[in-house]
Amino acid sequence: MRIDPAVDLAIGLVVGVVVLATTHGTPHAAPLDVTATLVAAVACLVLALRRRWPLHTFLVSSVAAEAYLVFNHKTANGMLILAAPLIALYTVAESASRRRALTIGVLAVSAFAGLHMLAKPASWLGAENLALAALGGLAVAAGDGARSRREYLAEVEARALRAERDRDADARRRVTDERLRIARDLHDAVGHQLALINVQAGVAVHLLDAQPVRAREALTHVRHASRTALGELRDTIGLLRQPGDQLAPVDPVPGLTGLPDLLDTFRRSGLAVSASGLGDALDLPVPVDLTAYRVVQEALTNVCKHAGAVAVHLLLQRSEEALTIQVENAPGTPGRPAAPGVGLVGMRERVSALGGSVESGPRPAGGYRLTVVLPLEAR
């Protein structure tokens, strides 16, 4: 907190008026001397500069105060002039480090006491020197306390600002994570349905004239898949509603218990899907159950997009520590190459979040193999 130099100048004027009044305003006091008055004015009015040059102000005020005492050595009332250098000593202690403030304080009080002892050898342990030592120590302690409080308040304010920045950064990170999670869920929930729609629509176009019955079946699958995709899209978007909005009905999140229905949808699209080990996929932890379902969903969707209607085998193996998912497909020749997507990247993110691993690549005999290991004690 900055204080106007006019306030310090007013403090110096008050000290100077009090000193002159108590020294020369009593009936038996010494007459007012012009030189002593000028010296007293220097000792007091220099306090206006105490916050800009604290040490220099203290030295000038101390020398001027001692000079004033020399001019008025016959009266004891002039000791009040030492209030000016004590105020300057307080400012030194407030602006300097504790060690430096203590050093300056001890040297200053020792110098004052030594000068007074030389002037009055009989009173080196008198009340004046004891009071000067006590007031000097009080000025240093008060200045050090003010400095410590100022530093404490500055640290508290800095911590509050850091906490606010960290809170804002954490909120932004949470928003980003939630947005990515919703985008991943949307991709997993709707992406495979759209892939099926694309495949079945291509089949319908190809068979519309030659085999209208099969084309009608393909269009029925398109209708069913689009209805399912719209429902899952509605449920996912419903999560983005603001508080107070009417809640959309959300079905339970699917797990491996819904795997038979999922496989049937792909079989209707033309994939020859076989599965083994479905009985090992019971009583799994919820995160593992959901992630395993999404892995199978994404893997079969990728087969449908990149290999077409081929034979696919799904294997689930459960041990005491992990669930292994393996999806293998025979070589295929899709009608049109699929554009590269982010399905495998999202799958790796899901699996990595649980501490699992993903391995994928072509098989030696042709086709493609995906192997995912999910620890049952997920992070």
Side-chain angles (χ1 to χ4, degrees):
M1 181 180 65
R2 295 188 58 84
I3 297 180
D4 193 341
V7 176
D8 293 330
L9 180 61
I11 294 174
L13 286 173
V14 171
V15 173
V17 170
V18 171
V19 169
L20 294 177
T22 56
T23 305
H24 306 285
T26 58
H28 303 288
L32 188 62
D33 183 77
V34 176
T35 304
T37 303
L38 292 177
V39 172
V42 172
C44 298
L45 298 183
V46 74
L47 294 178
L49 305 175
R50 66 189 180 99
R51 299 188 184 277
R52 188 171 183 179
W53 296 296
L55 183 58
H56 297 81
T57 300
F58 170 69
L59 294 176
V60 172
S61 181
S62 300
V63 172
E66 288 297 327
Y68 180 80
L69 291 177
V70 171
F71 284 110
N72 297 278
H73 64 279
K74 296 182 179 180
T75 176
N77 295 333
M79 290 295 294
L80 286 176
I81 193 64
L82 294 178
L86 288 177
I87 294 175
L89 180 60
Y90 161 84
T91 307
V92 171
E94 184 186 20
S95 58
S97 63
R98 177 171 299 174
R99 177 178 298 180
R100 186 183 181 190
L102 290 176
T103 302
I104 294 175
V106 170
L107 292 177
V109 172
S110 300
F112 284 141
L115 291 174
H116 295 169
M117 186 174 62
L118 291 176
K120 298 179 179 180
S123 59
W124 65 278
L125 279 179
E128 295 179 0
N129 286 342
L130 294 178
L132 179 61
L135 291 175
L138 180 62
V140 173
D144 182 72
R147 178 187 52 79
S148 299
R149 177 175 175 78
R150 185 176 64 252
E151 292 176 352
Y152 171 76
L153 293 177
E155 179 64 21
V156 169
E157 184 177 359
R159 288 183 179 180
L161 292 176
R162 286 196 300 268
E164 185 176 359
R165 288 195 297 266
D166 293 342
R167 185 166 55 250
D168 293 341
D170 184 67
R172 289 192 296 270
R173 180 186 60 80
R174 290 178 181 272
V175 169
T176 301
D177 292 344
E178 184 66 12
R179 185 175 67 249
L180 293 176
R181 186 191 66 82
I182 293 175
R184 189 165 51 241
D185 287 344
L186 191 61
H187 174 272
D188 293 341
V190 181
H192 83 284
Q193 299 291 352
L194 295 180
L196 295 179
I197 291 173
N198 180 65
V199 172
Q200 293 296 336
V203 172
V205 171
H206 182 69
L207 300 177
L208 186 60
D209 296 329
Q211 303 182 38
V213 176
R214 290 191 59 187
R216 186 178 296 107
E217 291 178 356
L219 292 177
T220 302
H221 295 328
V222 169
R223 181 181 180 184
H224 176 76
S226 61
R227 184 185 300 114
T228 303
L230 288 174
E232 293 179 346
L233 179 62
R234 181 186 63 250
D235 294 342
T236 303
I237 298 300
L239 297 175
L240 302 178
R241 291 183 178 272
Q242 296 294 327
D245 292 346
Q246 185 178 358
L247 295 178
V250 180
D251 295 334
V253 177
L256 290 181
T257 54
L259 201 54
D261 295 335
L262 178 67
L263 298 181
D264 288 340
T265 61
F266 284 101
R267 290 189 182 104
R268 289 194 296 269
S269 69
L271 290 181
V273 183
S274 61
S276 59
L278 298 184
D280 292 341
L282 300 177
D283 299 327
L284 294 173
V286 175
V288 177
D289 192 29
L290 174 60
T291 302
Y293 180 88
R294 295 304 190 194
V295 165
V296 174
Q297 184 184 60
E298 181 62 32
L300 296 180
T301 300
N302 288 339
V303 173
C304 191
K305 290 167 57 178
H306 298 281
V310 297
V312 184
H313 181 67
L314 169 64
L315 173 63
L316 300 179
Q317 287 183 327
R318 178 175 179 174
S319 64
E320 295 182 356
E321 299 179 352
L323 173 68
T324 302
I325 304 172
Q326 188 176 84
V327 179
E328 294 182 333
N329 65 273
T333 54
R336 184 171 60 183
V342 296
L344 190 58
V345 175
M347 181 192 301
R348 292 184 184 277
E349 290 178 354
R350 282 183 176 274
V351 175
S352 298
L354 299 181
S357 61
V358 178
E359 294 182 2
S360 60
R363 298 190 308 168
Y368 202 81
R369 175 186 295 137
L370 172 71
T371 303
V372 175
V373 179
L374 297 174
L376 298 183
E377 294 184 359
R379 290 200 305 263

